[in-house]
Amino acid sequence: MYRSGERQVAHETRETNALVENNGLLRYANALNFYDHPPLFDVTVDEFETTAIDRLRVLAEIESSLARNRTWEELKAITYAQYMKYVPLHTSTFTDAVEERRKDHLGHYVLRLAFCRSEDLRRRFVKAESVLFRVRFEQTEIELRKEFLNSRNFNWIAVTQEEKAQYHQELYSMYQSPKQENRADAFKKEKFSKVRWTRVPDLVEARRVFLKSGWAYVPGREQSSIIFQEFEVQLEKALEATSRLIPRLDEDSRLIPVLDNLSQGFVAGIASEWMNAAGSSSSSDIRAEMVDGLAKKHFPMCMRGMHENLRRDHHLKHFGRLQYGLFLKVLGLSIEEAVAFWRKSFDRMTDDKFSKEYKYNIRHSYGLEGKRANYPAKNCLQILTSSPSDVGCPYRTFSPENLQTALLSMYSQEGLKSSDLPEIMSTVKAGHYHVACTRVFEITHASCGVAKGEGIGGGESVTHPNQYAARSMELGKSKKEDDAME
């Protein structure tokens, strides 16, 4: 068991208006949380990790959406769907919210430990968490918002009616009323507050506040900007404090590997798992002779490249065979068909050599030899962080020139054009390799009805080669059925 957050924030008090004790159980007063205080309850190492991974899925999808320049409404819809799927948090009145809020609280703090280690990780974490908080804030009922705001001191000063009258002309000139209301009538009812202008740089940039002697006069309907800015500032300070104290965790050998894995997941910009990666495939009737056709139509670039290398060289190195073999296994290739596929692929060697040197490894990957483990296929995180370059992500390992050539060679028949390359390459240059892969998926499946921004479905990005292939095969099957009905 591990008492999470206790060491790295020992200086903080246990009293907080966000948490109150009720008959020995933690009760959260509001779904909205500035995470001022650590979760002081016992958790297992397994819960420590799984709770953080679920939250990482949400933050990774937020970062992916930001990289793709989605509109705020699109980003909000995707973020809401993601957090309700992985870290459900009802922001309206909810009778049994304790467990939801507990998981939210714990997951945030575990990721703090993972992402406080470098300036880049802290910056990305703050940006993603701020979007998540903003989406939840906008989804929360007005009365619950007021309760939350009243529970904190945001240090804004209410503007009196006399001061409002004094600067009437200036305030009215910058005031933007709701579209459904008359501007003059809305201005009369509007309540203003003032803060130092450095606390609302976004409103200053957009010229939505009146500035006077270093003060920014903020309309009530824009006060959320102060709240969001305060959230970012407090989180940045907390991460810096945690980074100074994180070395104290080095003594715990159980947690460091978990934190390392989480931080790598964020470096890759993707979620750490695909839900069905180790499960059974939806297409269990794949035969060896079908793989060539499937590779040309449905495989992501990493696996399609391996398949082409296999066909060209009649061989793959050990790690390539392992990675590609597990991919085909999860895709639905049975052990009998796998042996037939690899035997045909290695057609330049004798049966005896194949049986002695390769057949055992194939059976081992299916859990039929050795310790008989059910090995899952590698996800995008594992591929992105692989050491051997021959099994890495091509979006990361290829030079820009080679990557563009390979993309056109592989996917031009599926609709990829030279005019699509600048957009793809810009995401690669920014290090968002999964976004580039997702965009290629959208372009090559436009004929199946996939629109830009839809990803593999619901706006989600590619996080696993089998996820890409399974969704592609599903879309291909649906299109074939639709064409047959016409």
Side-chain angles (χ1 to χ4, degrees), residues 108 144 150 186 253 284 297 327 351:
H108 172 87
L144 294 178
N150 290 335
S253 59
S284 58
K297 293 182 180 180
F327 167 80
D351 288 340

Side-chain angles (χ1 to χ4, degrees), residues 172-367:
Y172 187 75
S173 65
M174 48 69 55
Y175 182 67
Q176 299 179 18
S177 62
K179 294 181 180 180
Q180 67 273 19
E181 293 187 36
N182 177 274
R183 186 183 182 199
D185 292 340
F187 180 78
K188 289 179 182 179
K189 296 183 291 183
E190 190 69 80
K191 294 182 179 179
F192 287 80
S193 57
K194 60 182 182 180
V195 295
R196 289 296 179 184
W197 71 270
T198 53
R199 294 184 59 190
V200 285
D202 56 328
L203 297 182
V204 173
E205 182 182 14
R207 300 186 178 185
R208 297 168 72 173
V209 292
F210 166 57
L211 298 179
K212 179 69 175 179
S213 302
W215 293 96
Y217 288 72
V218 184
R221 59 192 302 268
E222 302 285 2
Q223 283 181 344
S224 58
S225 179
I226 303 174
I227 300 164
F228 303 148
Q229 178 71 7
E230 183 73 9
F231 180 86
E232 290 188 16
V233 170
Q234 295 297 325
L235 183 53
E236 287 170 356
K237 291 180 180 178
L239 285 170
E240 290 174 0
T242 305
S243 68
R244 293 191 293 269
L245 295 162
I246 197 68
R248 300 185 187 181
L249 283 176
D250 288 345
E251 63 198 57
D252 198 322
S253 59
R254 298 167 299 172
L255 302 183
I256 294 302
V258 173
L259 297 178
D260 287 342
N261 181 61
L262 291 170
S263 61
Q264 285 179 348
F266 210 62
V267 167
I270 56 176
S272 298
E273 300 282 346
W274 177 49
M275 292 294 289
N276 300 323
S280 59
S281 171
S282 58
S283 301
S284 58
D285 56 347
I286 294 176
R287 299 184 302 279
E289 61 268 21
M290 296 170 58
V291 177
D292 284 340
L294 293 174
K296 292 179 180 179
K297 293 182 180 180
H298 303 296
F299 287 8
M301 192 177 188
C302 54
M303 297 302 157
R304 184 162 175 175
M306 282 192 184
H307 185 82
E308 291 183 356
N309 291 341
L310 178 62
R311 286 290 174 255
R312 183 192 66 217
D313 302 331
H314 302 268
H315 193 266
L316 278 180
K317 294 181 180 179
H318 171 72
F319 289 107
R321 294 196 306 274
L322 177 62
Q323 183 170 308
Y324 191 47
L326 290 174
F327 167 80
L328 294 175
K329 166 192 167 185
V330 173
L331 196 66
L333 196 68
S334 67
I335 179 60
E336 294 79 10
E337 293 296 325
V339 171
F341 169 78
W342 288 106
R343 180 66 192 98
K344 182 180 179 181
S345 299
F346 291 176
D347 56 0
R348 293 180 179 177
M349 65 178 64
T350 64
D351 288 340
D352 185 59
K353 180 178 176 65
F354 177 80
S355 296
K356 288 181 178 179
E357 299 183 18
Y358 298 97
K359 190 173 181 179
Y360 176 87
N361 288 334
I362 297 171
R363 288 176 55 81
H364 187 277
S365 66
Y366 276 76

Side-chain angles (χ1 to χ4, degrees), residues 410-427:
M410 291 183 184
Y411 296 109
S412 58
Q413 291 186 356
E414 282 74 46
L416 185 71
K417 302 181 179 64
S418 298
S419 56
D420 297 316
L421 294 179
E423 179 186 4
I424 295 170
M425 297 307 297
S426 67
T427 57

Side-chain angles (χ1 to χ4, degrees), residues 393-411:
C393 173
Y395 293 99
R396 184 173 192 173
T397 59
F398 282 22
S399 69
E401 295 77 14
N402 289 343
L403 177 59
Q404 294 180 75
T405 301
L407 283 169
L408 290 175
S409 173
M410 291 183 184
Y411 296 109

Side-chain angles (χ1 to χ4, degrees), residues 355-394:
S355 296
K356 288 181 178 179
E357 299 183 18
Y358 298 97
K359 190 173 181 179
Y360 176 87
N361 288 334
I362 297 171
R363 288 176 55 81
H364 187 277
S365 66
Y366 276 76
L368 300 177
E369 301 288 354
K371 64 179 181 179
R372 301 181 184 275
N374 181 26
Y375 296 99
K378 287 191 175 184
N379 59 36
C380 290
L381 167 61
Q382 294 166 323
I383 294 172
L384 279 165
T385 55
S386 294
S387 296
S389 59
D390 59 317
V391 295
C393 173

Side-chain angles (χ1 to χ4, degrees), residues 23-40:
N23 296 326
L25 295 176
L26 284 171
R27 299 294 180 185
Y28 292 79
N30 200 292
L32 297 173
N33 195 342
F34 258 45
Y35 309 101
D36 300 296
H37 300 273
L40 299 174

